[in-house]
Amino acid sequence: MYRILLIEDDFSLARVMKQQIEAWGNEVRLVSDFQNVLGEFKDYEPHLVLVDIMLPFFNGYHWCSEIRRISNVPVVFLSSASDNMNIVMAINMGGDDFIAKPVDPNVLTAKIQAILRRSYDLTGSLPVLEHRGAVLNLADGSLSYDGQRMELTKNEFRILQTLMENKGKIVSRDTLMMKLWQDDCYVEENTLTVNVTRLRKKLERAGLTAFITTKVGSGYLIL
């Protein structure tokens, strides 16, 4: 699942585009504060940005420049002014592509899919593990579920990664403790119990109840 940030002040169009993009299994966030676009970008950490040229307060060129100071994430411009001058300006300002308005749904989908494939993986996949709608991003150690993004501690991430890699199978406590012992720091039995308990609470707060099952005397598993 790819995260896409849509910076578009025509909310009717934005909602239609969001629906179209999400139909292909991606996740979309609409920018709501056009004075703090960079803040929303940092918070969401998208894999791709769609940005209109004409926006309140600052135009799309400005925000593309700001994003380029901190990230190489693909940026695609949207504009009803699809003349050569705007297209050249968009590319020169760091944009990766340009989509003319009115937006053709097929062109939108094709361009997004092509750019994501080019930018991340020739197979179109990200280094992620998925189960019951929960997506664990192996690149940044975060977990996404139902539009929410959760930060995990190093130990929580290692536990969840191991369980999701072996979903449907019991993972012994010894195996999990070995995962937590990767930094040559001794891990007590109680350390694993405490981390699993914290991880469960974090998952439950996000709506993932009974995600991790305890098998007494054996270990843990996810079904």
Side-chain angles (χ1 to χ4, degrees), residues 12-109:
S12 295
L13 173 60
R15 283 192 292 270
V16 171
M17 291 177 65
K18 182 176 189 291
Q19 184 177 19
Q20 173 75 20
I21 297 167
E22 289 183 337
W24 284 82
N26 297 306
E27 178 184 299
V28 179
R29 177 183 290 187
L30 306 182
V31 164
S32 57
D33 184 354
F34 291 96
Q35 288 183 288
N36 186 36
V37 169
L38 193 62
E40 295 201 27
F41 172 86
K42 291 177 180 178
D43 177 66
Y44 192 48
E45 296 184 350
H47 300 105
L48 184 144
V49 174
L50 293 169
V51 57
D52 190 15
I53 292 178
M54 299 303 295
L55 295 167
F57 305 108
F58 302 97
N59 63 29
Y61 299 136
H62 168 82
W63 291 121
C64 182
S65 296
E66 290 296 296
I67 288 169
R68 279 289 167 263
R69 294 179 192 275
I70 60 173
S71 174
N72 289 319
V73 67
V75 175
V76 179
F77 281 95
L78 307 167
S79 178
S80 54
S82 56
D83 56 85
N84 289 340
M85 178 80 70
N86 273 293
I87 294 172
V88 170
M89 178 73 79
I91 302 304
N92 286 341
M93 294 298 291
D96 294 86
D97 210 332
F98 189 101
I99 298 177
K101 294 181 180 179
V103 178
D104 182 304
N106 294 322
V107 171
L108 174 68
T109 300

Side-chain angles (χ1 to χ4, degrees), residues 116-186:
L116 290 173
R117 280 197 304 272
R118 233 172 23 236
S119 302
Y120 296 101
D121 192 326
L122 291 176
T123 66
S125 62
L126 281 170
V128 299
L129 296 171
E130 190 275 336
H131 183 64
R132 280 174 48 185
V135 180
L136 182 65
N137 190 321
L138 304 184
D140 63 15
S142 66
L143 184 73
S144 299
Y145 177 71
D146 195 26
Q148 304 175 69
R149 184 170 180 273
M150 292 165 271
E151 296 295 336
L152 303 175
T153 66
K154 179 175 61 179
N155 283 346
E156 289 168 350
F157 169 72
R158 286 175 176 172
I159 291 168
L160 195 54
Q161 179 185 6
T162 305
L163 292 174
M164 291 180 75
E165 285 175 341
N166 296 276
K167 57 187 175 184
K169 302 176 185 176
I170 297 173
V171 179
S172 70
R173 290 180 61 86
D174 287 344
T175 297
L176 290 173
M177 287 178 66
M178 293 269 302
K179 291 290 183 180
L180 302 190
W181 207 352
Q182 290 179 8
D183 296 329
D184 297 325
C185 177
Y186 178 69

Side-chain angles (χ1 to χ4, degrees), residues 173-204:
R173 290 180 61 86
D174 287 344
T175 297
L176 290 173
M177 287 178 66
M178 293 269 302
K179 291 290 183 180
L180 302 190
W181 207 352
Q182 290 179 8
D183 296 329
D184 297 325
C185 177
Y186 178 69
V187 178
E188 296 181 349
E189 282 271 348
N190 188 53
T191 303
L192 176 60
T193 303
V194 169
N195 277 275
V196 170
T197 300
R198 288 177 178 167
L199 177 57
R200 275 183 167 141
K201 288 180 179 178
K202 188 173 288 189
L203 295 172
E204 287 170 2

